[in-house]
Amino acid sequence: MKKIIFNIWMMAGLLLALAACSDSNVSDLQLAGDCSVSAFALDEFEGTVNPAARTITVNVPETYNAASMSVTKLELSDGAVADVKPGEVMNMDTPHVLHVKNGDVFLDWTVSVVHDEARITSFKINGTYTGIINEQAKTISVYVPNTLDIKALVPTVVYSSGATLTPASGVATDFTHPVVYKLENNTASSSYTVTVTAIDKPSALYVGLGATMADLNPEEQTACMWMLENIPNSLYVSFADIRNGNIDLSQCKVIWWHFHKDGGVDGKNAFEAAAPQAVDAAAKLRDYYNAGGSFFFTRYATNMPAYIGAVANDGCPNNCWGQNEQDAETTGGPWSFSMAGHTDHPLFRNLMMASGDPNGVYTCEAGYRITNSTAQWHIGTDWGGYDDAAAWRNATGGIDLGHGGDGAIVAWEFPAAGSHGRILCIGSGCYDWYSLAPVAPGTYHDNVATMTKNAFNYLMN
């Protein structure tokens, strides 16, 4: 009997000890303590106290420096003390845990500083056509087919939490002329001018697997947005639109497809499985090509020429790979491929060159996050079927323009002949639009856009 009673008391002691380590640390010694926060302020900015969530939110102006803020008000329940005192300085660039204790009871409160913000982060017309936001200029450009009623377009707008938007999202709006959208959020305010351009017969198209530009992955979307901003009278369309004849191609000079897939696309079978929509549209694209239309195919889209009758032996790049965007490698130095023998080709005009390297096409600096997504032609007697570049030219009918360090062909052209147009292809892993790491302007990465603009100028003229 004594042993049983002893075990019961031991169990009771264990339960009390566990309770003392709980989030609210309520012991059986002093249970009456209240650990409430009734008021809190930083630099005289009053915080909003949420007792249920045990959070304190302090709103400050959009550009306010939160790295060194003083506690200017702290009101607690009777008998409670906190691990922070009025007058103390806190770095509020990240949330801070405020520890409040009253006797043997304690509670943790999360203090956060939220900057007033008035920004539009997404703008889409009729749930399909994505606007290009220029945050610095506070402009939004949307390109739509002229088959839409521009006087009654419905925008879906995503903007800063807590802000009010005028006109409201979801309201049919006349975009015959630019429309100004105003945002107000406490101390922050901004105005965005939205311009919708209705395109009848596009001069250039970016085609993709997604129904809308918003359905593209970040790599493809970044490339597409560049085109819409920089190539006049251009439009995004899906392969389904091409296949179904939804787009008037009569004035279209160039169709661009930049195809990215995490992990790579290696071989025809893999390509067909990854891009069935493109294969389904091949007949319409072949008609466009045979009527004089030109293409710009980049990354894994370089498989596509074989499906529209542009490659003499119906071959595709035979050496392909790629990483996942989230696991992309960080470059230890600038990356490049060689344009030796073709420095005068229009594709390579006005590039930023490296000192002492007249043949290098540099596309990124050290520290760039890159998937190294590559679709190239292996050249050599060891494997692949192309003993040398001349054998590749004879077999495919292409012209090699750029080479990797091992001699692989990473940029090439199928020249115009007869009635059909010409095709430019870049399969080098160096040709990369999107990086998880910030990309500074005025660096080698600008060469990606320069080459792309060169490609359009060459193919359209």
Side-chain angles (χ1 to χ4, degrees):
M1 179 66 70
K2 289 181 180 179
K3 184 175 181 181
I4 293 174
I5 293 172
F6 176 78
N7 287 342
I8 291 173
W9 279 107
M10 286 292 290
M11 182 63 71
L14 178 59
L15 290 173
L16 285 172
L18 289 174
C21 297
S22 71
D23 188 43
S24 55
N25 200 20
V26 180
S27 75
D28 62 346
L29 299 177
Q30 298 182 34
L31 299 177
D34 185 1
C35 299
S36 299
V37 177
S38 56
F40 185 86
L42 291 169
D43 288 356
E44 305 296 342
F45 293 104
E46 292 282 344
T48 300
V49 180
N50 184 332
R54 294 210 302 273
T55 61
I56 304 169
T57 305
V58 181
N59 286 85
V60 299
E62 188 169 9
T63 59
Y64 196 81
N65 181 9
S68 180
M69 299 186 72
S70 297
V71 179
T72 53
K73 181 186 289 186
L74 178 59
E75 297 179 3
L76 307 173
S77 51
D78 290 342
V81 294
D83 61 346
V84 171
K85 303 292 189 295
E88 288 192 26
V89 176
M90 304 167 65
N91 182 351
M92 293 306 303
D93 283 339
T94 57
H96 181 88
V97 175
L98 181 68
H99 189 78
V100 180
K101 185 176 181 181
N102 196 339
D104 291 307
V105 181
F106 73 76
L107 290 176
D108 286 338
W109 297 74
T110 301
V111 182
S112 302
V113 165
V114 176
H115 289 82
D116 293 339
E117 187 178 79
R119 296 187 181 185
I120 291 177
T121 56
S122 174
F123 193 98
K124 189 182 292 186
I125 292 291
N126 289 10
T128 300
Y129 304 97
T130 302
I132 299 169
I133 301 173
N134 186 323
E135 184 60 38
Q136 184 175 2
K138 289 291 189 292
T139 60
I140 301 175
S141 302
V142 193
Y143 300 88
V144 302
N146 76 330
T147 51
L148 300 183
D149 181 4
I150 200 169
K151 293 183 178 180
L153 300 177
V154 180
T156 301
V157 190
V158 180
Y159 52 94
S160 302
S161 176
T164 57
L165 178 70
T166 308
S169 175
V171 176
T173 304
D174 183 353
F175 284 97
T176 304
H177 303 289
V179 177
V180 176
Y181 280 76
K182 296 181 179 180
L183 281 166
E184 299 285 345
N185 190 3
N186 295 318
T187 63
S189 63
S190 62
S191 296
Y192 291 78
T193 301
V194 179
T195 302
V196 175
T197 302
I199 295 176
D200 179 12
K201 299 177 181 180
S203 302
L205 294 176
Y206 185 108
V207 65
L209 303 178
T212 74
M213 186 175 72
D215 298 319
L216 303 179
N217 56 55
E219 171 70 26
E220 297 171 341
Q221 195 172 104
T222 303
C224 182
M225 287 193 294
W226 178 91
M227 187 198 78
L228 296 179
E229 287 181 306
N230 291 275
I231 305 301
N233 202 40
S234 61
L235 195 64
Y236 174 82
V237 300
S238 68
F239 278 107
D241 289 326
I242 296 288
R243 182 196 63 210
N244 297 331
N246 297 338
I247 300 298
D248 187 339
L249 299 177
S250 63
Q251 301 300 315
C252 185
K253 301 294 185 181
V254 182
I255 294 177
W256 179 22
W257 184 24
H258 180 63
F259 179 29
H260 170 79
K261 181 176 175 60
D262 274 354
V265 178
D266 188 13
K268 275 191 171 183
N269 290 339
F271 175 76
E272 291 172 5
Q277 304 95 318
V279 177
D280 289 345
K284 286 292 181 66
L285 294 174
R286 186 182 303 114
D287 292 342
Y288 166 80
Y289 175 59
N290 289 335
S294 293
F295 291 94
F296 184 38
F297 290 127
T298 50
R299 196 161 285 188
Y300 305 121
T302 55
N303 286 275
M304 199 64 197
Y307 292 84
I308 59 175
V311 189
N313 66 348
D314 291 330
C316 291
N318 59 6
N319 192 16
C320 309
W321 66 86
Q323 300 169 5
N324 295 329
E325 199 72 67
Q326 292 299 321
D327 303 321
E329 64 181 290
T330 301
T331 60
W335 279 25
S336 67
F337 64 88
S338 174
M339 57 178 171
H342 298 280
T343 56
D344 59 346
H345 192 281
L347 181 64
F348 303 125
R349 288 177 180 164
N350 304 317
L351 298 181
M352 182 185 297
M353 304 298 295
S355 178
D357 187 359
N359 296 314
V361 179
Y362 287 83
T363 62
C364 64
E365 312 277 349
Y368 185 86
R369 289 284 301 277
I370 193 167
T371 61
N372 192 18
S373 297
T374 301
Q376 63 183 23
W377 301 84
H378 175 76
I379 303 298
T381 57
D382 49 352
W383 64 274
Y386 305 104
D387 290 352
D388 51 34
W392 176 84
R393 295 185 205 110
N394 290 333
T396 64
I399 300 172
D400 46 314
L401 303 177
H403 297 84
D406 62 352
I409 297 173
V410 300
W412 60 97
E413 176 180 358
F414 295 107
S419 63
H420 64 62
R422 58 165 61 102
I423 299 173
L424 278 180
C425 295
I426 302 178
S428 170
C430 297
Y431 184 84
D432 190 273
W433 280 94
Y434 174 79
S435 175
L436 288 171
V439 181
T443 62
Y444 288 134
H445 192 253
D446 289 350
N447 283 339
V448 173
T450 300
M451 272 194 296
T452 305
K453 188 64 177 290
N454 288 341
F456 274 95
N457 288 338
Y458 178 59
L459 296 171
M460 296 181 83
N461 297 319

